[in-house]
Amino acid sequence: MTKEKFPIHAQWSNRTAFILAATGSAVGLGNIWKFPYITGENGGGTFVLIYLCCILLVGLPVMIAEIMLGRRGKQSPINSMKTLAAAEGRSKAWKWLGWMGVIAGFLILSYYSVIAGWAMSYIFKTASGMFLGATADGVNSIFKSFVGDPERVLAWHTLFMVMTMVVVSRGVKNGLEKAVTYLMPMLFILMIVLVIYAMTTGYFEQGALFMFSPGAITGKGILIAMGHAFFTLSLGMGAIMVYGSYLSEDYSIVQASIYIALADTVVALLAGLAIFPVVFANGLQPGAGPGLIFQTLPIAFGHMQGGTLIGVMFFVLLVFAAWTSAISLIEPAVAWLIENKGHTRVYASVVMGFWTWLLGLGTIFSFNIWKDDTWSIPFLFHNMHFFDTLDYLTANIMLPLGGLFIALFAGWIMRTSSSKMELNTVPAIYKIWHFLVRYVTPVAVIIVFLRAVGAI
Ligand code: TRP
């Protein structure tokens, strides 16, 4: 049906280009900034275990489904869902799934860009040598005074949004592929260097035990672990669907998904192993919150051999990783504006970039002038400020909900013959996948939702 119909968007130039771009989307602040701090806040071991189970049993099947829907639909998520539903003789209402994704991506990017801005400013802080010989208190007060100053953070947030929209306005393909080829492996090597440093602190074992030995967890903690599995793999909002729509027919979706999920998980675990030993070696709190990596890694850079150079490289690569993720957060919205409103790519990028930038102000203020403005909704959340609310709403509610519907669509709405043909894999693997998206993923998401609100 839609196979040759919508050639408005580019195709990846070769097989590895798709894997690279999708890995670039998956590996980002979620792995290095978010995973450690939510692991710290939720008590470590059990949280990590649940996260890993969710990657395998929920994330991976949804990723396969999402890429598959994208490749079949060949358009922005909204239009792909509409076309695919029509092709199966179902309601056009499925396009709302695409809409929720567009909105989620926009909301996430608004705060993602602010945090990427923090990381950007840390390139220069590290380069200036201000962390040399730093103490935990010193690093902490540098962080607090930085995020406490809205104007400085705004400048970095603005710069990051401009960088993102420049790439998006030129089309996701140009330049991105090449950059990812070199910079991703470098990031990987640097993470290993940091883990090696962590081994010299004398607290490596304590850090590793914190991450891998089971402890207590709350229903909320389980929801956060599951939400993060979606977040870190860029699932549930159409980002990977859009990338899949630029994928040619002869590529094994299952194989690509396994590769992406594996790379993503390894980076997150390395980040944890680099950070927690430093946390314990310096008597810091694992539950310090969103500032965790900014309050721990500078101590490591300030004390290790060649720390300034390594630190600068680390933050450069972190910003780069955030950049390749940010692009995929806004691409669904831009693709839709191009298809449906007839805008040029440049115009669509500028419009989306502006609104995202504006909403980002809320996150900036959450760490200074709105710091004490928190609110609660019974059963849902407690004492959250603007940033917490956005993060919770998107990562823990919208993405899992998006993932649930993607699984339901791929498992129940789409004819078996269609999905079999599209995935084109070994029968046994197809069967396992089909079982997972039909039963395991939907049931898991629903149970976790119910538990989080205390209903079971
Ligand atoms: N996965 C990215 C990270 O871990 C963030 C991201 C990019 C994302 N695109 C997404 C999250 C789409 C959810 C949905 O940093």
Side-chain angles (χ1 to χ4, degrees), residues 362-396:
T363 294
I364 295 178
F365 296 153
S366 300
F367 294 90
N368 38 70
I369 52 181
W370 291 353
K371 197 158 71 187
D372 302 315
D373 293 335
T374 58
W375 62 311
S376 308
I377 293 183
F379 302 111
L380 279 179
F381 49 75
H382 257 320
N383 285 340
M384 288 193 167
H385 52 46
F386 187 89
F387 159 70
D388 290 334
T389 312
L390 262 191
D391 178 42
Y392 196 85
L393 182 73
T394 52
N396 301 336

PDB file of all heavy atoms in Angstrom, residues 362-396:
ATOM      1  N   GLY A 362      10.256  27.267  31.838  1.00  0.00           N
ATOM      2  CA  GLY A 362       9.670  26.675  33.045  1.00  0.00           C
ATOM      3  C   GLY A 362      10.654  25.785  33.771  1.00  0.00           C
ATOM      4  O   GLY A 362      10.727  25.783  35.000  1.00  0.00           O
ATOM      5  N   THR A 363      11.429  25.017  33.007  1.00  0.00           N
ATOM      6  CA  THR A 363      12.428  24.140  33.624  1.00  0.00           C
ATOM      7  C   THR A 363      13.568  24.960  34.217  1.00  0.00           C
ATOM      8  O   THR A 363      14.034  24.691  35.319  1.00  0.00           O
ATOM      9  CB  THR A 363      12.964  23.137  32.589  1.00  0.00           C
ATOM     10  OG1 THR A 363      11.887  22.271  32.233  1.00  0.00           O
ATOM     11  CG2 THR A 363      14.108  22.319  33.144  1.00  0.00           C
ATOM     12  N   ILE A 364      13.992  25.979  33.495  1.00  0.00           N
ATOM     13  CA  ILE A 364      15.059  26.838  34.027  1.00  0.00           C
ATOM     14  C   ILE A 364      14.626  27.403  35.383  1.00  0.00           C
ATOM     15  O   ILE A 364      15.366  27.338  36.361  1.00  0.00           O
ATOM     16  CB  ILE A 364      15.366  27.989  33.043  1.00  0.00           C
ATOM     17  CG1 ILE A 364      15.944  27.411  31.750  1.00  0.00           C
ATOM     18  CG2 ILE A 364      16.322  28.999  33.680  1.00  0.00           C
ATOM     19  CD1 ILE A 364      16.252  28.446  30.690  1.00  0.00           C
ATOM     20  N   PHE A 365      13.397  27.920  35.444  1.00  0.00           N
ATOM     21  CA  PHE A 365      12.926  28.556  36.681  1.00  0.00           C
ATOM     22  C   PHE A 365      12.699  27.550  37.812  1.00  0.00           C
ATOM     23  O   PHE A 365      12.687  27.915  38.976  1.00  0.00           O
ATOM     24  CB  PHE A 365      11.627  29.337  36.420  1.00  0.00           C
ATOM     25  CG  PHE A 365      11.800  30.488  35.465  1.00  0.00           C
ATOM     26  CD1 PHE A 365      10.740  30.942  34.694  1.00  0.00           C
ATOM     27  CD2 PHE A 365      13.040  31.120  35.330  1.00  0.00           C
ATOM     28  CE1 PHE A 365      10.904  32.008  33.801  1.00  0.00           C
ATOM     29  CE2 PHE A 365      13.214  32.176  34.441  1.00  0.00           C
ATOM     30  CZ  PHE A 365      12.145  32.618  33.679  1.00  0.00           C
ATOM     31  N   SER A 366      12.507  26.272  37.449  1.00  0.00           N
ATOM     32  CA  SER A 366      12.276  25.258  38.490  1.00  0.00           C
ATOM     33  C   SER A 366      13.458  25.135  39.444  1.00  0.00           C
ATOM     34  O   SER A 366      13.324  24.606  40.535  1.00  0.00           O
ATOM     35  CB  SER A 366      12.048  23.889  37.862  1.00  0.00           C
ATOM     36  OG  SER A 366      10.941  23.922  37.019  1.00  0.00           O
ATOM     37  N   PHE A 367      14.630  25.599  38.993  1.00  0.00           N
ATOM     38  CA  PHE A 367      15.809  25.466  39.849  1.00  0.00           C
ATOM     39  C   PHE A 367      16.204  26.799  40.483  1.00  0.00           C
ATOM     40  O   PHE A 367      17.229  26.909  41.113  1.00  0.00           O
ATOM     41  CB  PHE A 367      16.972  24.886  39.042  1.00  0.00           C
ATOM     42  CG  PHE A 367      16.702  23.479  38.606  1.00  0.00           C
ATOM     43  CD1 PHE A 367      16.083  23.211  37.387  1.00  0.00           C
ATOM     44  CD2 PHE A 367      17.026  22.400  39.434  1.00  0.00           C
ATOM     45  CE1 PHE A 367      15.800  21.906  36.994  1.00  0.00           C
ATOM     46  CE2 PHE A 367      16.757  21.097  39.046  1.00  0.00           C
ATOM     47  CZ  PHE A 367      16.138  20.846  37.818  1.00  0.00           C
ATOM     48  N   ASN A 368      15.386  27.817  40.287  1.00  0.00           N
ATOM     49  CA  ASN A 368      15.661  29.092  40.963  1.00  0.00           C
ATOM     50  C   ASN A 368      14.363  29.772  41.395  1.00  0.00           C
ATOM     51  O   ASN A 368      13.823  29.408  42.434  1.00  0.00           O
ATOM     52  CB  ASN A 368      16.562  29.987  40.101  1.00  0.00           C
ATOM     53  CG  ASN A 368      16.228  29.887  38.612  1.00  0.00           C
ATOM     54  OD1 ASN A 368      15.184  30.348  38.187  1.00  0.00           O
ATOM     55  ND2 ASN A 368      17.096  29.245  37.838  1.00  0.00           N
ATOM     56  N   ILE A 369      13.821  30.678  40.568  1.00  0.00           N
ATOM     57  CA  ILE A 369      12.697  31.477  41.074  1.00  0.00           C
ATOM     58  C   ILE A 369      11.412  30.684  41.357  1.00  0.00           C
ATOM     59  O   ILE A 369      10.583  31.111  42.132  1.00  0.00           O
ATOM     60  CB  ILE A 369      12.386  32.689  40.157  1.00  0.00           C
ATOM     61  CG1 ILE A 369      12.209  32.256  38.707  1.00  0.00           C
ATOM     62  CG2 ILE A 369      13.485  33.735  40.250  1.00  0.00           C
ATOM     63  CD1 ILE A 369      11.918  33.416  37.750  1.00  0.00           C
ATOM     64  N   TRP A 370      11.255  29.536  40.715  1.00  0.00           N
ATOM     65  CA  TRP A 370      10.056  28.720  41.002  1.00  0.00           C
ATOM     66  C   TRP A 370      10.383  27.506  41.874  1.00  0.00           C
ATOM     67  O   TRP A 370       9.587  26.566  41.951  1.00  0.00           O
ATOM     68  CB  TRP A 370       9.416  28.205  39.706  1.00  0.00           C
ATOM     69  CG  TRP A 370       8.776  29.263  38.868  1.00  0.00           C
ATOM     70  CD1 TRP A 370       8.587  30.584  39.193  1.00  0.00           C
ATOM     71  CD2 TRP A 370       8.233  29.098  37.548  1.00  0.00           C
ATOM     72  NE1 TRP A 370       7.983  31.237  38.159  1.00  0.00           N
ATOM     73  CE2 TRP A 370       7.747  30.364  37.136  1.00  0.00           C
ATOM     74  CE3 TRP A 370       8.096  28.014  36.679  1.00  0.00           C
ATOM     75  CZ2 TRP A 370       7.147  30.560  35.892  1.00  0.00           C
ATOM     76  CZ3 TRP A 370       7.497  28.220  35.434  1.00  0.00           C
ATOM     77  CH2 TRP A 370       7.026  29.472  35.055  1.00  0.00           C
ATOM     78  N   LYS A 371      11.550  27.530  42.469  1.00  0.00           N
ATOM     79  CA  LYS A 371      12.032  26.350  43.188  1.00  0.00           C
ATOM     80  C   LYS A 371      11.028  25.826  44.215  1.00  0.00           C
ATOM     81  O   LYS A 371      10.870  24.633  44.402  1.00  0.00           O
ATOM     82  CB  LYS A 371      13.354  26.707  43.885  1.00  0.00           C
ATOM     83  CG  LYS A 371      14.147  25.513  44.318  1.00  0.00           C
ATOM     84  CD  LYS A 371      15.607  25.871  44.500  1.00  0.00           C
ATOM     85  CE  LYS A 371      15.794  26.743  45.734  1.00  0.00           C
ATOM     86  NZ  LYS A 371      17.161  27.247  45.858  1.00  0.00           N
ATOM     87  N   ASP A 372      10.367  26.761  44.876  1.00  0.00           N
ATOM     88  CA  ASP A 372       9.472  26.331  45.951  1.00  0.00           C
ATOM     89  C   ASP A 372       8.025  26.216  45.503  1.00  0.00           C
ATOM     90  O   ASP A 372       7.145  25.934  46.311  1.00  0.00           O
ATOM     91  CB  ASP A 372       9.598  27.288  47.132  1.00  0.00           C
ATOM     92  CG  ASP A 372      11.036  27.328  47.620  1.00  0.00           C
ATOM     93  OD1 ASP A 372      11.633  26.238  47.740  1.00  0.00           O
ATOM     94  OD2 ASP A 372      11.563  28.434  47.822  1.00  0.00           O
ATOM     95  N   ASP A 373       7.780  26.462  44.238  1.00  0.00           N
ATOM     96  CA  ASP A 373       6.410  26.335  43.742  1.00  0.00           C
ATOM     97  C   ASP A 373       6.121  24.894  43.368  1.00  0.00           C
ATOM     98  O   ASP A 373       6.261  24.493  42.218  1.00  0.00           O
ATOM     99  CB  ASP A 373       6.209  27.221  42.501  1.00  0.00           C
ATOM    100  CG  ASP A 373       6.301  28.692  42.862  1.00  0.00           C
ATOM    101  OD1 ASP A 373       6.035  29.010  44.035  1.00  0.00           O
ATOM    102  OD2 ASP A 373       6.654  29.503  41.991  1.00  0.00           O
ATOM    103  N   THR A 374       5.709  24.120  44.335  1.00  0.00           N
ATOM    104  CA  THR A 374       5.411  22.723  44.034  1.00  0.00           C
ATOM    105  C   THR A 374       3.924  22.473  44.193  1.00  0.00           C
ATOM    106  O   THR A 374       3.217  23.255  44.821  1.00  0.00           O
ATOM    107  CB  THR A 374       6.167  21.777  44.969  1.00  0.00           C
ATOM    108  OG1 THR A 374       5.816  22.096  46.310  1.00  0.00           O
ATOM    109  CG2 THR A 374       7.656  21.902  44.774  1.00  0.00           C
ATOM    110  N   TRP A 375       3.458  21.393  43.602  1.00  0.00           N
ATOM    111  CA  TRP A 375       2.057  21.029  43.725  1.00  0.00           C
ATOM    112  C   TRP A 375       1.911  19.520  43.731  1.00  0.00           C
ATOM    113  O   TRP A 375       2.862  18.805  43.440  1.00  0.00           O
ATOM    114  CB  TRP A 375       1.242  21.678  42.615  1.00  0.00           C
ATOM    115  CG  TRP A 375       1.626  21.253  41.228  1.00  0.00           C
ATOM    116  CD1 TRP A 375       2.882  21.215  40.716  1.00  0.00           C
ATOM    117  CD2 TRP A 375       0.754  20.804  40.203  1.00  0.00           C
ATOM    118  NE1 TRP A 375       2.852  20.785  39.413  1.00  0.00           N
ATOM    119  CE2 TRP A 375       1.571  20.524  39.070  1.00  0.00           C
ATOM    120  CE3 TRP A 375      -0.633  20.615  40.115  1.00  0.00           C
ATOM    121  CZ2 TRP A 375       1.025  20.055  37.870  1.00  0.00           C
ATOM    122  CZ3 TRP A 375      -1.150  20.152  38.917  1.00  0.00           C
ATOM    123  CH2 TRP A 375      -0.328  19.876  37.815  1.00  0.00           C
ATOM    124  N   SER A 376       0.731  19.061  44.063  1.00  0.00           N
ATOM    125  CA  SER A 376       0.487  17.620  44.150  1.00  0.00           C
ATOM    126  C   SER A 376      -0.859  17.291  43.526  1.00  0.00           C
ATOM    127  O   SER A 376      -1.779  18.101  43.584  1.00  0.00           O
ATOM    128  CB  SER A 376       0.448  17.177  45.601  1.00  0.00           C
ATOM    129  OG  SER A 376       1.592  17.609  46.279  1.00  0.00           O
ATOM    130  N   ILE A 377      -0.947  16.116  42.927  1.00  0.00           N
ATOM    131  CA  ILE A 377      -2.245  15.597  42.492  1.00  0.00           C
ATOM    132  C   ILE A 377      -2.396  14.242  43.167  1.00  0.00           C
ATOM    133  O   ILE A 377      -1.516  13.387  43.023  1.00  0.00           O
ATOM    134  CB  ILE A 377      -2.330  15.444  40.963  1.00  0.00           C
ATOM    135  CG1 ILE A 377      -2.290  16.827  40.290  1.00  0.00           C
ATOM    136  CG2 ILE A 377      -3.598  14.707  40.561  1.00  0.00           C
ATOM    137  CD1 ILE A 377      -2.441  16.774  38.786  1.00  0.00           C
ATOM    138  N   PRO A 378      -3.473  14.062  43.917  1.00  0.00           N
ATOM    139  CA  PRO A 378      -3.630  12.814  44.654  1.00  0.00           C
ATOM    140  C   PRO A 378      -3.436  11.602  43.743  1.00  0.00           C
ATOM    141  O   PRO A 378      -3.868  11.630  42.591  1.00  0.00           O
ATOM    142  CB  PRO A 378      -5.076  12.872  45.147  1.00  0.00           C
ATOM    143  CG  PRO A 378      -5.429  14.319  45.121  1.00  0.00           C
ATOM    144  CD  PRO A 378      -4.596  14.975  44.087  1.00  0.00           C
ATOM    145  N   PHE A 379      -2.800  10.568  44.241  1.00  0.00           N
ATOM    146  CA  PHE A 379      -2.497   9.319  43.520  1.00  0.00           C
ATOM    147  C   PHE A 379      -1.426   9.481  42.447  1.00  0.00           C
ATOM    148  O   PHE A 379      -0.759   8.544  42.096  1.00  0.00           O
ATOM    149  CB  PHE A 379      -3.736   8.692  42.855  1.00  0.00           C
ATOM    150  CG  PHE A 379      -4.812   8.391  43.830  1.00  0.00           C
ATOM    151  CD1 PHE A 379      -5.988   9.117  43.820  1.00  0.00           C
ATOM    152  CD2 PHE A 379      -4.642   7.396  44.791  1.00  0.00           C
ATOM    153  CE1 PHE A 379      -6.991   8.850  44.741  1.00  0.00           C
ATOM    154  CE2 PHE A 379      -5.635   7.128  45.713  1.00  0.00           C
ATOM    155  CZ  PHE A 379      -6.806   7.854  45.690  1.00  0.00           C
ATOM    156  N   LEU A 380      -1.305  10.662  41.893  1.00  0.00           N
ATOM    157  CA  LEU A 380      -0.354  10.798  40.789  1.00  0.00           C
ATOM    158  C   LEU A 380       1.008  11.277  41.254  1.00  0.00           C
ATOM    159  O   LEU A 380       2.009  10.593  41.084  1.00  0.00           O
ATOM    160  CB  LEU A 380      -0.899  11.733  39.712  1.00  0.00           C
ATOM    161  CG  LEU A 380      -1.879  11.077  38.754  1.00  0.00           C
ATOM    162  CD1 LEU A 380      -2.380  12.076  37.731  1.00  0.00           C
ATOM    163  CD2 LEU A 380      -1.228   9.894  38.040  1.00  0.00           C
ATOM    164  N   PHE A 381       1.081  12.473  41.820  1.00  0.00           N
ATOM    165  CA  PHE A 381       2.389  12.917  42.290  1.00  0.00           C
ATOM    166  C   PHE A 381       2.288  13.884  43.449  1.00  0.00           C
ATOM    167  O   PHE A 381       1.271  14.499  43.695  1.00  0.00           O
ATOM    168  CB  PHE A 381       3.233  13.486  41.156  1.00  0.00           C
ATOM    169  CG  PHE A 381       2.527  14.499  40.295  1.00  0.00           C
ATOM    170  CD1 PHE A 381       2.307  15.793  40.739  1.00  0.00           C
ATOM    171  CD2 PHE A 381       2.096  14.130  39.028  1.00  0.00           C
ATOM    172  CE1 PHE A 381       1.681  16.712  39.934  1.00  0.00           C
ATOM    173  CE2 PHE A 381       1.460  15.056  38.217  1.00  0.00           C
ATOM    174  CZ  PHE A 381       1.241  16.357  38.681  1.00  0.00           C
ATOM    175  N   HIS A 382       3.454  14.014  44.104  1.00  0.00           N
ATOM    176  CA  HIS A 382       3.570  14.759  45.336  1.00  0.00           C
ATOM    177  C   HIS A 382       4.610  15.831  45.228  1.00  0.00           C
ATOM    178  O   HIS A 382       5.722  15.562  44.817  1.00  0.00           O
ATOM    179  CB  HIS A 382       4.074  13.804  46.426  1.00  0.00           C
ATOM    180  CG  HIS A 382       2.982  13.373  47.330  1.00  0.00           C
ATOM    181  ND1 HIS A 382       2.001  14.222  47.753  1.00  0.00           N
ATOM    182  CD2 HIS A 382       2.727  12.183  47.905  1.00  0.00           C
ATOM    183  CE1 HIS A 382       1.174  13.562  48.541  1.00  0.00           C
ATOM    184  NE2 HIS A 382       1.585  12.311  48.635  1.00  0.00           N
ATOM    185  N   ASN A 383       4.293  17.023  45.628  1.00  0.00           N
ATOM    186  CA  ASN A 383       5.290  18.091  45.743  1.00  0.00           C
ATOM    187  C   ASN A 383       6.262  18.170  44.579  1.00  0.00           C
ATOM    188  O   ASN A 383       7.460  18.076  44.758  1.00  0.00           O
ATOM    189  CB  ASN A 383       6.106  17.907  47.029  1.00  0.00           C
ATOM    190  CG  ASN A 383       5.290  18.324  48.229  1.00  0.00           C
ATOM    191  OD1 ASN A 383       4.307  19.061  48.080  1.00  0.00           O
ATOM    192  ND2 ASN A 383       5.671  17.847  49.398  1.00  0.00           N
ATOM    193  N   MET A 384       5.727  18.329  43.407  1.00  0.00           N
ATOM    194  CA  MET A 384       6.621  18.429  42.261  1.00  0.00           C
ATOM    195  C   MET A 384       6.632  19.861  41.770  1.00  0.00           C
ATOM    196  O   MET A 384       5.612  20.536  41.782  1.00  0.00           O
ATOM    197  CB  MET A 384       6.111  17.534  41.151  1.00  0.00           C
ATOM    198  CG  MET A 384       6.326  16.083  41.475  1.00  0.00           C
ATOM    199  SD  MET A 384       6.071  15.141  40.002  1.00  0.00           S
ATOM    200  CE  MET A 384       6.734  13.582  40.522  1.00  0.00           C
ATOM    201  N   HIS A 385       7.810  20.303  41.302  1.00  0.00           N
ATOM    202  CA  HIS A 385       7.792  21.603  40.648  1.00  0.00           C
ATOM    203  C   HIS A 385       7.640  21.388  39.135  1.00  0.00           C
ATOM    204  O   HIS A 385       7.392  20.272  38.680  1.00  0.00           O
ATOM    205  CB  HIS A 385       8.979  22.488  41.043  1.00  0.00           C
ATOM    206  CG  HIS A 385      10.326  21.862  40.903  1.00  0.00           C
ATOM    207  ND1 HIS A 385      10.701  21.161  39.795  1.00  0.00           N
ATOM    208  CD2 HIS A 385      11.381  21.825  41.756  1.00  0.00           C
ATOM    209  CE1 HIS A 385      11.939  20.750  39.962  1.00  0.00           C
ATOM    210  NE2 HIS A 385      12.370  21.112  41.146  1.00  0.00           N
ATOM    211  N   PHE A 386       7.764  22.464  38.402  1.00  0.00           N
ATOM    212  CA  PHE A 386       7.462  22.421  36.973  1.00  0.00           C
ATOM    213  C   PHE A 386       8.253  21.331  36.238  1.00  0.00           C
ATOM    214  O   PHE A 386       7.690  20.502  35.525  1.00  0.00           O
ATOM    215  CB  PHE A 386       7.767  23.802  36.369  1.00  0.00           C
ATOM    216  CG  PHE A 386       7.348  23.949  34.942  1.00  0.00           C
ATOM    217  CD1 PHE A 386       6.078  24.395  34.622  1.00  0.00           C
ATOM    218  CD2 PHE A 386       8.230  23.646  33.909  1.00  0.00           C
ATOM    219  CE1 PHE A 386       5.694  24.536  33.299  1.00  0.00           C
ATOM    220  CE2 PHE A 386       7.851  23.779  32.587  1.00  0.00           C
ATOM    221  CZ  PHE A 386       6.574  24.225  32.287  1.00  0.00           C
ATOM    222  N   PHE A 387       9.568  21.322  36.457  1.00  0.00           N
ATOM    223  CA  PHE A 387      10.392  20.329  35.771  1.00  0.00           C
ATOM    224  C   PHE A 387      10.003  18.894  36.145  1.00  0.00           C
ATOM    225  O   PHE A 387       9.842  18.040  35.273  1.00  0.00           O
ATOM    226  CB  PHE A 387      11.885  20.582  36.066  1.00  0.00           C
ATOM    227  CG  PHE A 387      12.754  19.369  35.831  1.00  0.00           C
ATOM    228  CD1 PHE A 387      12.984  18.913  34.544  1.00  0.00           C
ATOM    229  CD2 PHE A 387      13.316  18.682  36.904  1.00  0.00           C
ATOM    230  CE1 PHE A 387      13.764  17.783  34.324  1.00  0.00           C
ATOM    231  CE2 PHE A 387      14.096  17.555  36.693  1.00  0.00           C
ATOM    232  CZ  PHE A 387      14.310  17.107  35.391  1.00  0.00           C
ATOM    233  N   ASP A 388       9.855  18.641  37.446  1.00  0.00           N
ATOM    234  CA  ASP A 388       9.465  17.294  37.884  1.00  0.00           C
ATOM    235  C   ASP A 388       8.163  16.859  37.229  1.00  0.00           C
ATOM    236  O   ASP A 388       8.007  15.703  36.831  1.00  0.00           O
ATOM    237  CB  ASP A 388       9.230  17.264  39.405  1.00  0.00           C
ATOM    238  CG  ASP A 388      10.517  17.421  40.174  1.00  0.00           C
ATOM    239  OD1 ASP A 388      11.577  17.075  39.629  1.00  0.00           O
ATOM    240  OD2 ASP A 388      10.457  17.895  41.318  1.00  0.00           O
ATOM    241  N   THR A 389       7.221  17.795  37.162  1.00  0.00           N
ATOM    242  CA  THR A 389       5.910  17.468  36.614  1.00  0.00           C
ATOM    243  C   THR A 389       6.027  17.086  35.134  1.00  0.00           C
ATOM    244  O   THR A 389       5.479  16.064  34.706  1.00  0.00           O
ATOM    245  CB  THR A 389       4.954  18.669  36.740  1.00  0.00           C
ATOM    246  OG1 THR A 389       5.028  19.171  38.067  1.00  0.00           O
ATOM    247  CG2 THR A 389       3.532  18.275  36.417  1.00  0.00           C
ATOM    248  N   LEU A 390       6.771  17.905  34.389  1.00  0.00           N
ATOM    249  CA  LEU A 390       6.947  17.610  32.963  1.00  0.00           C
ATOM    250  C   LEU A 390       7.587  16.247  32.763  1.00  0.00           C
ATOM    251  O   LEU A 390       7.157  15.445  31.937  1.00  0.00           O
ATOM    252  CB  LEU A 390       7.897  18.638  32.347  1.00  0.00           C
ATOM    253  CG  LEU A 390       7.340  19.815  31.596  1.00  0.00           C
ATOM    254  CD1 LEU A 390       8.480  20.519  30.872  1.00  0.00           C
ATOM    255  CD2 LEU A 390       6.279  19.388  30.613  1.00  0.00           C
ATOM    256  N   ASP A 391       8.645  16.002  33.554  1.00  0.00           N
ATOM    257  CA  ASP A 391       9.373  14.752  33.429  1.00  0.00           C
ATOM    258  C   ASP A 391       8.467  13.564  33.770  1.00  0.00           C
ATOM    259  O   ASP A 391       8.415  12.574  33.050  1.00  0.00           O
ATOM    260  CB  ASP A 391      10.590  14.797  34.357  1.00  0.00           C
ATOM    261  CG  ASP A 391      11.368  13.499  34.322  1.00  0.00           C
ATOM    262  OD1 ASP A 391      11.551  12.959  33.215  1.00  0.00           O
ATOM    263  OD2 ASP A 391      11.782  13.011  35.389  1.00  0.00           O
ATOM    264  N   TYR A 392       7.713  13.711  34.853  1.00  0.00           N
ATOM    265  CA  TYR A 392       6.854  12.617  35.297  1.00  0.00           C
ATOM    266  C   TYR A 392       5.743  12.345  34.277  1.00  0.00           C
ATOM    267  O   TYR A 392       5.490  11.202  33.885  1.00  0.00           O
ATOM    268  CB  TYR A 392       6.242  12.971  36.658  1.00  0.00           C
ATOM    269  CG  TYR A 392       5.648  11.777  37.371  1.00  0.00           C
ATOM    270  CD1 TYR A 392       6.446  10.948  38.143  1.00  0.00           C
ATOM    271  CD2 TYR A 392       4.293  11.478  37.272  1.00  0.00           C
ATOM    272  CE1 TYR A 392       5.929   9.847  38.783  1.00  0.00           C
ATOM    273  CE2 TYR A 392       3.754  10.377  37.915  1.00  0.00           C
ATOM    274  CZ  TYR A 392       4.575   9.563  38.668  1.00  0.00           C
ATOM    275  OH  TYR A 392       4.058   8.469  39.301  1.00  0.00           O
ATOM    276  N   LEU A 393       5.129  13.420  33.840  1.00  0.00           N
ATOM    277  CA  LEU A 393       4.025  13.309  32.887  1.00  0.00           C
ATOM    278  C   LEU A 393       4.477  12.645  31.583  1.00  0.00           C
ATOM    279  O   LEU A 393       3.793  11.780  31.039  1.00  0.00           O
ATOM    280  CB  LEU A 393       3.504  14.726  32.593  1.00  0.00           C
ATOM    281  CG  LEU A 393       2.310  14.830  31.662  1.00  0.00           C
ATOM    282  CD1 LEU A 393       1.068  14.362  32.395  1.00  0.00           C
ATOM    283  CD2 LEU A 393       2.119  16.280  31.205  1.00  0.00           C
ATOM    284  N   THR A 394       5.636  13.038  31.088  1.00  0.00           N
ATOM    285  CA  THR A 394       6.089  12.496  29.812  1.00  0.00           C
ATOM    286  C   THR A 394       6.675  11.098  29.977  1.00  0.00           C
ATOM    287  O   THR A 394       6.156  10.138  29.411  1.00  0.00           O
ATOM    288  CB  THR A 394       7.147  13.421  29.169  1.00  0.00           C
ATOM    289  OG1 THR A 394       8.175  13.697  30.116  1.00  0.00           O
ATOM    290  CG2 THR A 394       6.527  14.703  28.692  1.00  0.00           C
ATOM    291  N   ALA A 395       7.737  10.973  30.786  1.00  0.00           N
ATOM    292  CA  ALA A 395       8.458   9.698  30.855  1.00  0.00           C
ATOM    293  C   ALA A 395       7.617   8.596  31.494  1.00  0.00           C
ATOM    294  O   ALA A 395       7.674   7.447  31.074  1.00  0.00           O
ATOM    295  CB  ALA A 395       9.768   9.865  31.615  1.00  0.00           C
ATOM    296  N   ASN A 396       6.822   8.952  32.512  1.00  0.00           N
ATOM    297  CA  ASN A 396       6.159   7.883  33.256  1.00  0.00           C
ATOM    298  C   ASN A 396       4.703   7.664  32.856  1.00  0.00           C
ATOM    299  O   ASN A 396       4.108   6.652  33.227  1.00  0.00           O
ATOM    300  CB  ASN A 396       6.242   8.152  34.754  1.00  0.00           C
ATOM    301  CG  ASN A 396       7.688   8.243  35.200  1.00  0.00           C
ATOM    302  OD1 ASN A 396       8.575   7.687  34.554  1.00  0.00           O
ATOM    303  ND2 ASN A 396       7.939   8.959  36.270  1.00  0.00           N
TER     304      ASN A 396
END
